[in-house]
Structures are given as C-alpha cells and as structure tokens.
Amino acid sequence: MILNRDLVIIGAGPSGLCAAKMAAEAGQKVLLIDRNPQLGGQLIKQTHMFFGSEKQYAKTRGFDIAKKLIDDVKKYPDLVEIWDNSTVVGLYSDKVLTVLTGETYRKVQAKAIIVATGASEKVLAFENNDLPGIYGAGAVQTLMNVYGVKPGEKIVMVGSGNIGLIVSYQLMQAGVKVLAVIEAAKVIGGYKVHASKLRRLGVDIITSCTIKKAIGKDKVEKIVTVRLNEKWEEIPGTEKEYEVDAVCIAVGLSPLTNLLAMIGCELKYVGELGGLVPVLSKDYETTIEGVYACGDASGIEEASSAMVEGYITGLAAAKKLGKVHPQYDELMVDLRKQLDILRSGPFGEKIRKGLAKLEGVKEVC
Amino acid sequence: MMRIKEHPILDFSKERKIIRFTFNGQEVYGYEGDTIASALSALGVKEFSVSIKHKRPRGFYCAIGNCSSCHMIVDGVPNVKTCITLLKEGMKVETQTNKGELYDLK
Ligand SMILES: Cc1cc2nc3c(=O)[nH]c(=O)nc-3n(C[C@H](O)[C@H](O)[C@H](O)COP(=O)(O)OP(=O)(O)OC[C@H]3O[C@@H](n4cnc5c(N)ncnc54)[C@H](O)[C@@H]3O)c2cc1C
Ligand code: FES
C-alpha cells in the first residue's frame, strides 16, 4: 500500500521545523519525518547561548530554541503530521519515499519534498582511528547533554573550530578533564571568546599539532600527537603521549546529501560548504522540480541560517502546491535580507565564497 | 559510573524510572529516556560490535544515526542502530560479531 501526502519534510532539525511552520502557516499540509526519538536536530544538545541576531533567538540556549520551534509546529495539529523514530531509507525520482519505523516499512507518494537532513561529522585518518572511545565531538555532546552520560574521564579534543571549542567547554562543565585541544592549522579555527573561556580554565590549545596514532587493545588508552611544520609535515622528535580514555574528533561536518544523490539531483563539490552540495534555485529547489533542500544539507553553515533557509523553503514549497502565504512577498524579502546579514562580516566570508562557486544557481549574496 | 550528577546548566538529579535489560546475558539497568548506547556507555561498555572482516572492536561514533558504527543485536534482530533506539524493559542486547543473520519477523 502506498500512502499519499502533499508536502513531506525529511529531518526535523531547525531547518525542517521552520520549513514545516511556514508551510503550515500558508495552509499547507505537511508530513514531518525524523529518525531520532526527539525532534530538534542538533539543537537539543546545545547548552550554550547562541550568537546571531534577535530574530534567530540569539542569547537563547540551543535546546530552548528547539523547544520553541517544536511548539511553533505543534500549533498546527491538523496540518502537521509528525513521524518520529522514522528513518527515510529511500527517495525515488517519482517522489516516492520509503520509511522505516522500527520494523514497520512504509511507502509514501509525495507531491513535493524538502530534504533537511543536516550534516554528518567527518572522520580523520590516523593509526587505530577505529578504536572504541574515539568519538565525533557532536556524539559526545549528545551523550553528555541529552543523556547525561560522560564519554570518559580524560580526553583530548582534535580540532579547534567552534564545535571543538564549545564541546571542550561542555566536557569541563560535565566534570571531564580536557587534557588538550590540538589543531593542525597555525591558528585557532573558532571564535576567540570560546578559546579564551577554555584557556581561563587552564586548557592547553596547541596549534600546528595533530594526532599521529591511538594505542589500546579493545579501547583507546593512549594517543600520540605530533607537531607540524609550515608544510603540514610531521616534525620528528616532537611526539607527545597522552593517557586518555576518550578522544573527540571535531574536524568539521559534511552535508548529508545521500538521499539527494539517490533521487538524482545535481550535486557539486564546494569545499567551503563542506563537500558535495545540491545545486539550488533561489527558492531552494534542486534540479528536480518539487524537490527542495535547506539547512546544513545544502551547505554547512549554522543554526540561524538553517532556520531562515527553512522558512524560505517552506514558503516556496507551499506556493508550488498552490498555498500562497498571505504575506508571501514581504516575508521573502525580509528573510533574504536576514540571510544577507547573517553572511556579512569576516566569518561569513567562507560561505559567501562557497555560494559564489555555485554561480548564480544558488542564491548568492 | 559515568552518569553526570552535577551540572551548571542541566538538571540530571531527577529520579528516573529504572529500565532493566540484559547485555550479553548479564542483567544490567539503565534509565527511562536512555538509548541503548547511552545506557551501555553509562555502564562503561565501549565495545558494541566487531568489524566484519578484521574483527576489530567497534564503539559508537556519531550518536545520531549516521555512521552505523553502533550496530548490535537487539532481541535477536541484528544491525540495530543502538544510538537512536530507546531502551525498553527486558531488552536482550548482544555484541554483534558478524554482518547479521536473517531472522524471523515477529
Ligand atoms: C557543537 C555545535 C555548536 C553549534 N553552535 C552553533 C551556534 O552557536 N550558532 C549557530 O547558529 N549554530 C550552531 N551550530 C550549528 C547548528 O547546530 C546546525 O547548523 C543546525 O543544527 C543545522 O540545522 P539542520 O536543520 O540543517 O540540521 P540538523 O539540526 O542536523 O537536523 C537534521 C535532522 O534530520 C534528521 N535526519 C537526517 N537524515 C534523516 C533520514 N534519512 N530520515 C529521517 N530523518 C533524518 C536528523 O535526525 C536530524 O534531526 C552548532 C553545531 C554544533 C554541532
Ligand atoms: S553511532 Fe553512528 S549510527 Fe549510531
């Protein structure tokens, strides 16, 4: 049996939730699917206050933003149907989705689809990088902040971008000792405020340094780090050993585009946006009509832009299905302006460069 | 025990219902709201499966359902993503040592 639905949104992170809200506001029926038991995507594990502007809830803690966005969607119980604990395992060119909920397998025929699947954490190649106890930084954040469990007692963080810095701080808050944050580049990747907070707690942030290998039988027990020269080559004799029971890898995210690849929309490699990203129109429509992508799945940025992109996509997808939001034009102008503001300034430079590479296909600010 | 007891922002002090399950035949417990992976981690268990070819130990990696590093046999069903599967009373959780065998649907 095949179930018929109008607009299906895959992923209930900030982007998918915002898309659902806007579409419902326009009067559009939505099916929102997420594989996790809790909605909210990456926000549910973020205990820190957000930067950005008032409109995207700056100075609010991530998990509180998630609650707000979920409430927004639950205001439309007649329009928004939610399937949690449900993984979309297939996406076909005739807009059929296959969904697995526990042992139940369902087929859904959609009229339009929004892919808001977020991102996955990158892995790093080094000897024994597969030992248990070597975790993605986001995974450790989930374990601690959602489930209240420490990943270990003594940890080294690999990567000093914002995620590496923020998760290090949160590890200390949970009572875990962060022995060092190491960074292969010459400079710290994340915001200075986050780095200073860590330094005040006595955490060493070591630049031009990487992890050489992990040591352990059934789990990580030790790691060896090594310093790098200007050419990113290992400097012999600078190896250092740390006794650890966990290691966190925070070397970036890449867009989760496997479903987009499966349905066959055009993808392009753009390093600045995290890897393979879908080619999009300014309304976030992929090269397949009626299939949209927004949030981290369309290029790694941050929650604030993921939300705004979600709103735009929700408006556009609803319009495509004949439900035009009463304030469609004003909202679109305002939302696009918000995105421009979010991407202005030095930290938006990488994103602007990345978007420019998609050359006018994706909206360029 | 790896449970966080005190935290400056989050409150983990609330009493939660105990959920009993077995891990490789041994009776253990976690709490309501735990995933299988979080309950095992709290017990200090890091090895969830072994790799298919070289039989190297594997733990979880992403904790959000992306990487398949946390596969285990749960109530006889192999390849269950334990990082996004909630713990239930009486569950039988086992370390997975092969790519999974066909099982009868309940
Ligand atoms: C440590 C950390 C700190 C951060 N700090 C900030 C900050 O201060 N400010 C800021 O603006 N941003 C911050 N971010 C970034 C922000 O969290 C992300 O950019 C944002 O969550 C992206 O939203 P999204 O909706 O695109 O994806 P996600 O939040 O990743 O949501 C995607 C959802 O899709 C679901 N999903 C994926 N695949 C499937 C499938 N096949 N079937 C069903 N469901 C699926 C997932 O379960 C998930 O719930 C931070 C991120 C991290 C990790
Ligand atoms: S740890 Fe990655 S899927 Fe469970």
Side-chain angles (χ1 to χ4, degrees):
Chain A
M1 198 186 66
I2 199 153
L3 303 160
N4 283 293
R5 292 293 183 277
D6 296 335
L7 175 60
V8 178
I9 302 180
I10 311 169
S15 215
L17 285 168
C18 288
K21 182 212 166 177
M22 267 307 177
E25 227 178 75
Q28 179 59 52
K29 275 197 169 171
V30 174
L31 168 61
L32 181 61
I33 307 177
D34 199 289
R35 69 178 164 208
N36 267 284
Q38 288 183 53
L39 305 186
Q42 308 320 309
L43 288 178
I44 59 170
K45 59 192 180 194
Q46 292 171 19
T47 50
H48 61 286
M49 292 194 206
F50 271 48
F51 295 133
S53 89
E54 227 42 57
K55 282 197 176 141
Q56 294 93 38
Y57 312 108
K59 301 206 183 63
T60 310
R61 296 187 192 280
F63 59 86
D64 287 327
I65 301 177
K67 274 188 213 142
K68 272 224 56 176
L69 299 180
I70 294 166
D71 284 349
D72 280 352
V73 163
K74 295 220 159 134
K75 276 186 205 135
Y76 301 93
D78 300 336
L79 290 174
V80 185
E81 180 184 357
I82 298 172
W83 293 359
D84 53 15
N85 284 308
S86 302
T87 307
V88 175
V89 290
L91 191 56
Y92 302 89
S93 51
D94 49 359
K95 298 197 182 67
V96 169
L97 303 94
T98 50
V99 188
L100 196 62
T101 311
E103 296 274 85
T104 314
Y105 188 68
R106 284 179 282 194
K107 277 189 262 180
V108 181
Q109 171 73 63
K111 290 193 182 129
I113 297 166
I114 299 177
V115 178
T117 44
S120 66
E121 297 196 82
K122 290 186 178 160
V123 289
L124 194 63
F126 56 89
E127 197 179 322
N128 291 330
N129 68 351
D130 59 343
L131 277 178
I134 299 174
Y135 303 126
V140 161
Q141 203 185 23
T142 303
L143 189 68
M144 289 191 300
N145 298 348
V146 180
Y147 301 107
V149 175
K150 288 187 276 187
E153 303 292 352
K154 282 184 297 179
I155 224 166
V156 167
M157 175 68 65
V158 182
S160 74
N162 278 327
I163 295 186
L165 297 176
I166 291 172
V167 175
S168 296
Y169 188 73
Q170 292 174 355
L171 279 160
M172 306 278 286
Q173 285 181 319
V176 178
K177 208 162 165 19
V178 180
L179 302 180
V181 177
I182 62 170
E183 165 63 56
K186 261 180 13 194
V187 288
I188 293 172
Y191 294 152
K192 223 173 144 194
V193 270
H194 295 316
S196 313
K197 256 165 118 180
L198 273 181
R199 287 221 162 104
R200 277 199 296 276
L201 291 175
V203 177
D204 251 350
I205 306 178
I206 309 165
T207 51
S208 302
C209 181
T210 191
I211 179 166
K212 194 178 162 79
K213 64 174 173 190
I215 302 166
K217 201 171 153 277
D218 308 318
K219 52 181 191 277
V220 61
E221 287 157 20
K222 272 186 220 165
I223 62 158
V224 177
T225 63
V226 66
R227 305 300 296 257
L228 300 173
N229 67 16
E230 301 270 310
K231 292 189 210 135
W232 292 57
E233 296 157 342
E234 293 181 2
I235 306 174
T238 59
E239 289 84 0
K240 190 172 167 182
E241 228 177 66
Y242 291 90
E243 259 181 56
V244 296
D245 53 4
V247 178
C248 262
I249 308 292
V251 293
L253 304 167
S254 42
L256 208 60
T257 48
N258 41 9
L259 290 173
L260 290 166
M262 183 169 180
I263 199 172
C265 59
E266 191 185 336
L267 300 171
K268 198 171 164 184
Y269 184 87
V270 183
E272 288 86 351
L273 298 177
L276 275 179
V277 291
V279 171
L280 299 173
S281 76
K282 70 181 196 357
D283 283 342
Y284 293 84
E285 193 170 23
T286 65
T287 49
I288 296 177
E289 197 183 352
V291 177
Y292 298 77
C294 57
D296 278 354
S298 69
I300 306 299
E301 251 180 285
E302 39 182 31
S304 15
S305 38
M307 285 183 238
V308 183
E309 289 186 358
Y311 289 137
I312 294 176
T313 312
L315 283 172
K319 188 177 177 199
K320 177 130 250 167
L321 297 174
K323 302 281 187 205
V324 186
H325 193 289
Q327 279 112 38
Y328 184 88
D329 292 326
E330 300 99 283
L331 282 170
M332 275 295 194
V333 170
D334 179 56
L335 290 166
R336 292 190 204 279
K337 205 186 285 160
Q338 286 184 36
L339 271 186
D340 285 349
I341 296 170
L342 285 171
R343 289 167 184 162
S344 60
F347 278 102
E349 198 190 318
K350 199 167 127 194
I351 302 297
R352 293 198 302 272
K353 247 177 144 174
L355 290 175
K357 285 196 182 160
L358 281 170
E359 276 167 321
V361 197
K362 184 167 175 170
E363 178 203 21
V364 182
C365 23
Chain B
M1 226 10 192
M2 304 297 287
R3 300 266 173 198
I4 300 171
K5 287 184 198 82
E6 279 170 35
H7 197 282
I9 295 162
L10 300 166
D11 182 13
F12 292 117
S13 63
K14 257 181 266 153
E15 281 273 331
R16 287 193 292 166
K17 200 179 143 206
I18 287 183
I19 310 277
R20 289 177 197 285
F21 67 106
T22 63
F23 170 60
N24 291 339
Q26 203 188 337
E27 277 190 39
V28 287
Y29 70 89
Y31 294 101
E32 190 160 41
D34 265 332
T35 56
I36 299 168
S38 72
L40 288 177
S41 301
L43 295 166
V45 175
K46 286 201 164 120
E47 184 178 332
F48 289 16
S49 64
V50 299
S51 65
I52 295 170
K53 201 162 168 194
H54 298 290
K55 307 292 173 200
R56 289 168 64 87
R58 284 282 184 276
F60 73 87
Y61 184 76
C62 75
I64 53 170
N66 279 343
C67 73
S68 303
S69 183
C70 63
H71 279 178
M72 296 183 87
I73 305 170
V74 179
D75 291 334
V77 178
N79 301 327
V80 172
K81 283 185 180 176
T82 55
C83 72
I84 52 168
T85 306
L86 289 176
L87 190 65
K88 288 201 193 86
E89 187 70 36
M91 254 180 179
K92 228 177 113 210
V93 178
E94 293 164 275
T95 308
Q96 187 168 330
T97 55
N98 54 22
K99 64 182 175 197
E101 266 151 34
L102 281 179
Y103 56 97
D104 291 324
L105 279 176
K106 277 159 277 174

